[in-house]
Amino acid sequence: MAATISTAKRRQLGRPVSIVGAGLSRFGAFRDMTTRDLFVEAFQDLIDHMDQGIDVEDIECGYIGNYSSDLFEGQGHTAPILADWLGMTPTPITRIENACASSGSALREGIMAIASGMYDVVLVGGVEKMTDLPTEGVTDVLASAADGLYEVPAGLTFPGIYGALAKAHMDRYETSLAHLAKVGIKNHTNGALNPKAQFNTTLLDMMERRKARAEQQGQPVPDWRDEMDFLNDPRANPWIAWPLRLYDCAPITDGASCVLLVSSEIANNFTDKPVHVVGTGQASGRPLHDAEELTSLSAAREAAAQAYAMAGVTPRDIQVAEVHDCFTIAEIIATEDLGFFEPGEGPRAVDEGRTALTGDRPINTSGGLKAKGHPVGASGVAQVIETFHQLRGEAGPRQVPNTNLELGLTHNVGGTGGTCVVNILRRG
């Protein structure tokens, strides 16, 4: 049942924490930029959009999510380098690594730093520069987040891992290739409304451009009638790891994200529209080879239970959510693990349009990892930024059409489900 959410001990923050500012770099492939360039861009975006300004010297501490600048760029000890480039030395800044949940975990550290009373103003962010390596190199780096003793030697890559999850979901719940395709169509539709997204275009527009290019080059023009025709054509959408195709996979992305956390008692010094952290949970799960089942991630269920208990809410109270759709099947599984839908009902919810921007449970309004992009170390905080803007009513053309929007949730997964961080945010 959807209450696969466990009975978690109700933990509470020592004092309330609020988000008062957010900054995001462009997401995409930027050959001429480094990790430090990307993070400076995100930080400058935060500074430029603070409602009442911020003096950099007032920031007391920082946590930066980064999966592997060591392997992607050959640069370790990233945090103090970023501190120097931001003009923040000698402020302590620490790098947090938890695979694709690195910045989600960094956010948790920032929340606890303020809740403990040690700091009042904390910068939290994430960054990844992935495109310096060829695709096979990126695949190898990401595979290091899987179990190197049992999974990697067996030849499992992340497309292969999530392909296995998709096949298991298909076998148990009659999930189809069409359901996966519809998730991709939805998220590209949302991403087309996001100026920071790597793919800020719809799949329909991509299809039409491919047809126009073929005609201009004097080649046979494909007879695709709609996005489903396009996605079902193996020439346009080749198999990556059955049953996943190219457009089921999040892209390789460069990007950075950051938010400013403060003690809620001083939030009004920075903005009249703070967003409060009312629930947070983090859990660890077994590697895929040792998991109890393949149609659910135990860490996600446990982290969600912790966050719901802290916030004193239930899944039905959540009005908008950003979930970790590194692959289209991951979004479907997430919506079930979070208790939004009963196990096996996630695909039906996609069919019914319930997860669309105008549905009753909007999911990945930013375009998700699938269209917005997935610079792995930055993704968790980027999810929080989208939710921050949605709750403040400033998401522009992708704003959820709900004038009573109050509660949002983020779900950030690392590795083969070994880490999951869930946060619940409330409009101030």
Side-chain angles (χ1 to χ4, degrees), residues 39 61-70 76-80 82 92-113 122-128 282 375-381 412 414 419 421:
F39 198 79
C61 176
Y63 297 94
I64 308 297
N66 174 257
Y67 172 49
S68 197
S69 59
D70 320 64
H77 207 193
T78 311
L82 295 181
I93 297 186
T94 302
R95 171 184 166 187
I96 304 294
E97 188 277 304
N98 245 341
C100 301
S102 291
S103 61
S105 300
L107 186 78
R108 285 260 302 177
E109 297 302 312
I111 291 167
M112 291 188 288
V122 174
L123 178 70
V124 173
V127 62
E128 211 74 60
Q282 180 172 336
V376 291
S379 288
V381 167
N412 187 203
T419 301
V421 181

Side-chain angles (χ1 to χ4, degrees), residues 51-303:
D51 292 342
Q52 298 175 26
I54 175 70
D55 190 328
V56 173
E57 293 183 357
D58 290 338
I59 300 173
E60 302 169 294
C61 176
Y63 297 94
I64 308 297
N66 174 257
Y67 172 49
S68 197
S69 59
D70 320 64
L71 296 177
F72 284 126
E73 293 180 286
Q75 175 66 68
H77 207 193
T78 311
I81 292 173
L82 295 181
D84 179 42
W85 277 58
L86 298 179
M88 289 180 58
T89 56
T91 301
I93 297 186
T94 302
R95 171 184 166 187
I96 304 294
E97 188 277 304
N98 245 341
C100 301
S102 291
S103 61
S105 300
L107 186 78
R108 285 260 302 177
E109 297 302 312
I111 291 167
M112 291 188 288
I114 291 175
S116 71
M118 189 166 184
Y119 298 109
D120 294 315
V121 182
V122 174
L123 178 70
V124 173
V127 62
E128 211 74 60
K129 178 67 171 71
M130 304 175 70
T131 62
D132 284 356
L133 296 181
T135 299
E136 58 270 23
V138 174
T139 300
D140 288 343
V141 172
L142 295 178
S144 67
D147 189 322
L149 185 61
Y150 294 103
E151 294 173 334
V152 177
L156 280 177
T157 61
F158 273 89
I161 287 165
Y162 276 89
L165 300 184
K167 181 62 167 63
H169 209 276
M170 288 176 164
D171 289 347
R172 179 173 292 186
Y173 298 121
E174 298 183 353
T175 304
S176 68
L177 294 175
H179 292 128
L180 303 182
K182 289 176 182 178
V183 171
I185 292 169
K186 170 185 71 72
N187 288 352
H188 275 274
T189 298
N190 293 345
L193 304 174
N194 185 350
K196 294 290 183 74
Q198 183 168 5
F199 292 116
N200 54 352
T201 184
T202 66
L203 283 173
L204 184 62
D205 285 341
M206 287 187 188
M207 180 191 83
E208 293 298 340
R209 284 207 298 266
R210 292 278 291 269
K211 291 170 70 173
R213 187 162 60 248
E215 184 174 15
Q216 291 169 0
Q217 295 174 350
Q219 299 174 350
V221 178
D223 58 354
W224 306 314
R225 294 165 298 175
D226 55 27
E227 301 101 320
M228 293 301 286
D229 277 354
F230 176 66
L231 294 177
N232 284 325
D233 185 342
R235 296 167 299 174
N237 191 22
W239 298 106
I240 301 299
W242 200 92
L244 301 180
R245 302 179 189 253
L246 177 63
Y247 283 99
D248 289 306
C249 310
I252 296 168
T253 311
D254 303 329
S257 56
C258 58
V259 294
L260 190 68
L261 303 180
V262 304
S263 169
S264 295
E265 62 195 21
I266 63 170
N268 287 335
N269 294 341
F270 300 91
T271 179
D272 294 331
K273 297 193 295 182
V275 170
H276 307 303
V277 179
V278 294
T280 183
Q282 180 172 336
S284 302
R286 295 174 176 173
L288 180 70
H289 69 85
D290 200 30
E292 295 178 358
E293 58 178 313
L294 298 182
T295 59
S296 175
L297 301 180
S298 61
R301 298 195 307 273
E302 176 59 28

Side-chain angles (χ1 to χ4, degrees), residues 281-363:
Q282 180 172 336
S284 302
R286 295 174 176 173
L288 180 70
H289 69 85
D290 200 30
E292 295 178 358
E293 58 178 313
L294 298 182
T295 59
S296 175
L297 301 180
S298 61
R301 298 195 307 273
E302 176 59 28
Q306 294 172 17
Y308 289 136
M310 182 181 290
V313 301
T314 69
R316 67 176 59 91
D317 297 315
I318 303 300
Q319 297 163 296
V320 63
E322 290 285 302
V323 309
H324 198 92
D325 62 321
C326 49
F327 299 89
T328 51
I329 186 61
E331 176 174 311
I332 289 172
I333 290 175
T335 60
E336 296 172 358
D337 284 341
L338 292 166
F340 297 156
F341 310 116
E342 297 286 337
E345 290 305 308
R348 260 52 69 185
V350 174
D351 272 340
E352 295 163 5
R354 297 184 62 190
T355 59
L357 197 63
T358 55
D360 67 296
R361 186 77 66 163
I363 303 291

